[in-house]
Amino acid sequence: MTESNETPNTLDEADESKHRRIKSFVMRAGRMTEGQQKGLEQGTPLFVLPLADAPVDYDQVFGRSAPRSLEIGFGMGHSLLEMAAASPEQDFIGVEVHRPGVGALLNGVLTQGLTNLRVYDCDAIEVLNRCIADNSLDRLMLFFPDPWHKSRHHKRRIVQASFAELVRSKLKVGGILHMATDWEPYAEYMLEVMSVAPGYRNLAEDGKCVPRPAERPITKFERRGERLGHGVWDLKFEKVD
């Protein structure tokens, strides 16, 4: 299981009730550490945003106009914290349903005194649909989503044609969808989906994957995988229209 397995998605499924939706995440219970609990208690009123019914004015939320990135499924938040700390001139929005992960991130935000990061603790597709204005994001990041290895579970993968179109509608022209996975078949699947998605340009010179971008922090999970000889594949697609 990778750090960002808690990435949400909703899609229609014929063999389920029409009122139910497939989700790409599973709500897992987890024990809270003292720091995570502190983060939730003290950080939620300050940094967790409610699910809105209309696009949010993030210039008002952050008190400025700045380049804005959204990460879906930030796991325990290590990468998102590092990116926010390294780029104080940018604003970051994280979405995660795993409560210990949300608590860990919030504890880090409080400890480091960051002001350029906000959090949603609900379904990312709902956040995109309801809270994010069209043509407003500079970047959307999806790092190490659950690949749902079994064929019968592929419908749960967040990367689908509908997801690509939704993300494109939220990115500015020139905005970037940056995905990363440690499972090569999923990288190939992502590439297959994105290669036929309208309105995107693959930034890889060979039309496949890009070298690991410097702005994506290396996680502990990734370092452990590298020691074991595991690969990581990064894909970057730019919105062109």
Side-chain angles (χ1 to χ4, degrees):
M1 188 180 300
T2 58
E3 180 176 328
S4 299
N5 277 348
E6 308 301 330
T7 54
N9 186 23
T10 58
L11 299 168
D12 292 332
E13 184 181 33
D15 59 352
E16 292 190 2
S17 163
K18 64 182 180 180
H19 298 294
R20 296 178 62 191
R21 296 171 299 176
I22 297 174
K23 294 180 182 292
S24 72
F25 64 91
V26 175
M27 294 293 288
R28 300 179 178 90
R31 292 185 178 181
M32 292 278 187
T33 66
E34 184 176 338
Q36 291 164 358
Q37 191 63 44
K38 174 187 173 184
L40 287 173
E41 292 174 356
Q42 298 184 13
T44 295
L46 300 172
F47 302 108
V48 175
L49 301 176
L51 191 60
D53 291 321
V56 175
D57 183 351
Y58 292 104
D59 286 358
Q60 183 176 22
V61 170
F62 288 99
R64 65 178 182 177
S65 178
R68 202 150 290 147
S69 297
L70 184 147
E71 181 178 3
I72 292 177
F74 57 74
M76 299 306 290
H78 303 303
S79 295
L80 188 54
L81 278 173
E82 187 172 335
M83 288 187 289
S87 301
E89 76 285 358
Q90 300 181 31
D91 293 333
F92 294 83
I93 302 167
V95 186
E96 178 58 70
V97 297
H98 187 52
R99 296 290 287 169
V102 175
L105 177 73
L106 292 174
N107 189 45
V109 170
L110 293 167
T111 300
Q112 298 184 41
L114 301 180
T115 60
N116 62 333
L117 200 159
R118 297 295 187 275
V119 178
Y120 286 97
D121 58 358
C122 50
D123 189 314
I125 301 301
E126 290 296 314
V127 172
L128 288 173
N129 277 320
R130 295 170 56 177
C131 302
I132 308 298
D134 289 350
N135 306 300
S136 66
L137 293 176
D138 295 272
R139 177 173 51 166
L140 189 140
M141 302 171 291
L142 180 67
F143 298 155
F144 307 106
D146 194 325
W148 292 101
H149 301 82
K150 296 179 180 179
S151 296
R152 68 175 183 273
H153 290 154
H154 285 184
K155 60 181 175 288
R156 294 184 177 274
R157 289 175 169 176
I158 189 169
V159 180
Q160 308 276 354
S162 57
F163 174 75
E165 178 57 30
L166 176 58
V167 171
R168 188 175 73 90
S169 71
K170 303 304 175 180
L171 289 172
K172 299 176 181 177
V173 172
I176 303 297
L177 170 57
H178 179 188
M179 300 177 289
T181 180
D182 59 347
W183 198 53
E184 189 172 13
Y186 197 31
E188 294 169 350
Y189 167 84
M190 289 176 169
L191 184 61
E192 180 181 343
V193 171
M194 295 304 302
S195 293
V196 297
Y200 284 103
R201 179 172 71 92
N202 191 340
L203 296 184
E205 292 183 0
D206 62 359
K208 296 181 180 179
C209 297
V210 299
R212 189 189 71 82
E215 73 270 14
R216 181 177 68 75
I218 300 178
T219 65
K220 292 180 180 178
F221 176 88
E222 189 175 347
R223 289 193 183 96
R224 184 169 66 247
E226 287 179 345
R227 291 195 297 270
L228 296 172
H230 299 168
V232 171
W233 292 265
D234 284 85
L235 297 90
K236 275 191 171 185
F237 284 81
E238 178 186 13
K239 176 180 174 176
V240 294
D241 59 36

